Amino acid sequence: MTANKTIITDFLVDQMQMPVDIAFWVEIVVVAAVYLGVFALLGLFLVWMERRAAAFFQQRLGPNRRGPAGLFQTIADALKLVSKEITGTEKRDKFLYTIAPYFVIVTALMALAVLPFSQELQAFDINLGVFFITSVSSVAVIGIFLAGWASNNKFSLLGGMRSGIQMISYELSIGMVIVAMTVLTGTLQLSEIISFQQEHGWSIWSGHIPAIIGFMIFMIAGTAESNRTPFDLVEAESELGSGYHSEYSGMNFAYYFLAEFVNMFIISAMVVILFFGGWLSPFGITDGIPYVGVFWFVFKTLGVVMLMMWFRWTFPRFRIDQLLTLEWKYLIPISMVNIVFMALVVWLGLTF
Amino acid sequence: MSYFGDIASATKTLISGMKITGRYFFVNFFTRKEIITVEYPDNIDTLKMFDRFRGEIVMYHDENNQHRCDACTMCEIACPNGSIEIIWDKAINEETGKPKKFLEEHIYHLEMCTMCGLCIEACPADAIMWGQNFHHATQDRSHLTKSLNQPGSSFIPGYKNPKK
């Protein structure tokens, strides 16, 4: 293992007189701890944002008591969940029941590692970045299946199967859209996708019609993938009785809840990277200033998150047959045609 | 409808739905104008309940401490769970010289009342009506048994029921 030259390793080796190999591992631990902390807080912030936005969509006020504008409300909720007893059914499979939430939350946090927050700030610039995100986040389905199975409750099992069907189906059209965008950018590496957009303009502009079709499919499939309304048949509190996590309580339940919101952030970040130029500023107004990209990246991502919240509080929930009809009869054929269309556009040089 | 017609109409209807909720969001995010939430304990001084709110039953008294109830007991008969008890007596009416009922006490058991409103519908003289007060919590159950006619009040002399 050889250490890359980074700020943290430089600091550890030069200032702290640490051997290079140890500095490498210390850096990994530090970065992991920082990411974990930041995204635990991000999940809480997104829950707060969801509740406030939902309230405004429904002409309510939402949480506004704990802290400024109710910001500490979700921290209080998390503390309550930590202090709750972890219960479960009598004949559950204890091992699988315990590890199932970690499949979901760990995969959600792993996908965050490759996100480019700015030119300088990216933990892990793998050359298969987009592929890494899709493959890692599809492991979360296993956590959901396991939760349904290990609860030893027939309704949990049905809920797990239902959400498995949904997540596996919609991953297909997400993958197709990613293929189409890869045809345009010519790379899977996230930093290179963004540098392509720096040269040619944001993908939604340079890829015009097929990119806009791809964006719409990605938003629909991404909403379904992160199990949000109108595709939240996974939990559907009022109709289906919470599905796979109906037997979970306390922090185990909170992991699923947080993972849903972190997944929403990842999907939005993917939209921003693939279509809206990642950390690039509009018209290059802040180009060359280091770390300002973080602001633009988070700003754009929260904008897309806002769009998903807008969907959630506007549209009614699908039936399971409507959900599968939408995916298999509409999204997949359209996204397949879209790949060919995008290839033609790139081949004929019709991009900007 | 055709395949592409479905897609077009779906897009159109989804956007028209998002327009409505989007307007709510932006109006409420920037101005809080259309928010209908009432922050109850904070606005206790300015809180005004709407007229049709069913808080309790009260008896109308005019400025001379006079009410319209001539103790016909229609409300007592109409009440399905016996929340109303009327104590009445008879006295000689000086104008006509005939004995006539008058109200001694209109007892209202708030703890039994389900706010169904049948007594108010039954009252021919509109003597009782809805009150908007809802702060009914007390330390003792006996506080919930109320006397609706104020002490020292009397029947409006010569008041005629418009419906009788």
Side-chain angles (χ1 to χ4, degrees), chain A residues 52-53 56-57 59-61 64-65 216 306-307 310-311 313-315 329-330 333-334, chain B residues 3 6-7 11 14 17-18 21-22 24-26 28-29 32 34-37 39 42:
Chain A
R52 283 296 273 188
F56 289 143
F57 279 124
Q59 304 185 325
R60 294 184 287 112
L61 276 170
N64 61 350
R65 295 291 159 140
M216 287 161 82
M306 201 57 232
L307 188 62
W310 195 350
F311 288 161
W313 297 103
T314 306
F315 302 145
K329 287 189 183 168
Y330 290 87
I334 293 172
Chain B
Y3 185 83
D6 275 344
I7 295 173
T11 316
L14 293 182
M18 285 177 71
T21 48
Y24 283 151
F25 178 80
F26 285 106
N28 291 326
F29 184 76
R32 311 278 155 93
E34 293 189 12
I35 282 174
I36 52 175
T37 305
E39 292 186 275
D42 293 344

Side-chain angles (χ1 to χ4, degrees), chain A residues 118-259:
Chain A
S118 76
Q119 201 159 16
E120 301 84 10
L121 187 62
Q122 185 175 11
F124 185 36
D125 191 13
I126 187 175
N127 60 359
L128 283 172
V130 184
F131 188 68
F132 179 84
I133 290 183
T134 45
S135 52
V136 157
S137 57
S138 59
V139 175
V141 180
I142 292 176
I144 284 169
F145 270 136
L146 280 185
W149 169 255
S151 295
N152 205 352
N153 170 348
K154 52 184 175 272
F155 299 111
S156 289
L157 183 61
L158 284 173
M161 288 298 167
R162 203 168 53 219
S163 56
I165 288 170
Q166 177 184 332
M167 290 176 80
I168 291 170
S169 305
Y170 277 86
E171 240 151 47
L172 277 173
S173 48
I174 283 194
M176 301 258 188
V177 173
I178 286 173
V179 169
M181 295 316 291
T182 313
V183 169
L184 177 67
T185 56
T187 176
L188 283 170
Q189 190 168 358
L190 293 174
S191 56
E192 300 225 338
I193 289 176
I194 292 171
S195 60
F196 172 87
Q197 298 184 46
Q198 202 162 17
E199 284 171 38
H200 298 85
W202 296 359
S203 290
I204 196 130
W205 164 251
S206 61
H208 51 91
I209 300 169
I212 289 168
I213 295 172
F215 168 67
M216 287 161 82
I217 294 171
F218 199 98
M219 279 309 292
I220 296 169
T223 314
E225 176 73 13
S226 55
N227 291 331
R228 293 176 57 77
T229 320
F231 305 95
D232 69 339
L233 292 167
V234 174
E235 41 178 332
E237 308 92 351
S238 50
E239 288 136 40
L240 299 169
S242 288
Y244 63 92
H245 60 46
S246 51
E247 296 296 347
Y248 279 85
S249 72
M251 212 52 212
N252 280 351
F253 168 73
Y255 285 145
Y256 285 112
F257 201 65
L258 276 182

Side-chain angles (χ1 to χ4, degrees), chain A residues 18-66:
Chain A
M18 207 177 263
V20 175
D21 285 349
I22 295 175
F24 174 71
W25 290 106
V26 170
E27 185 198 11
I28 289 179
V29 171
V30 167
V31 170
V34 168
Y35 264 61
L36 218 68
V38 167
F39 284 103
L41 288 178
L42 178 96
L44 293 177
F45 172 76
L46 286 174
V47 174
W48 170 83
M49 184 175 154
E50 164 93 44
R51 290 175 64 183
R52 283 296 273 188
F56 289 143
F57 279 124
Q58 298 181 334
Q59 304 185 325
R60 294 184 287 112
L61 276 170
N64 61 350
R65 295 291 159 140
R66 300 280 83 80

Side-chain angles (χ1 to χ4, degrees), chain B residues 99-160:
Chain B
K100 187 167 168 32
K101 270 173 157 184
F102 72 93
L103 180 71
E104 276 195 350
E105 196 173 10
H106 190 296
I107 298 169
Y108 169 49
H109 296 279
L110 179 62
E111 78 272 26
M112 288 199 284
C113 181
T114 60
M115 312 291 164
C116 66
L118 290 175
C119 51
I120 291 169
E121 282 171 32
C123 184
D126 290 339
I128 51 175
M129 56 192 190
W130 287 116
Q132 278 77 44
N133 175 31
F134 59 94
H135 295 109
H136 294 312
T138 65
Q139 298 286 326
D140 194 316
R141 182 183 283 185
S142 64
H143 297 158
L144 294 171
T145 302
K146 301 189 177 191
S147 179
L148 290 191
N149 54 330
Q150 291 169 6
S153 62
S154 60
F155 184 64
I156 297 172
Y159 179 76
K160 284 297 246 186

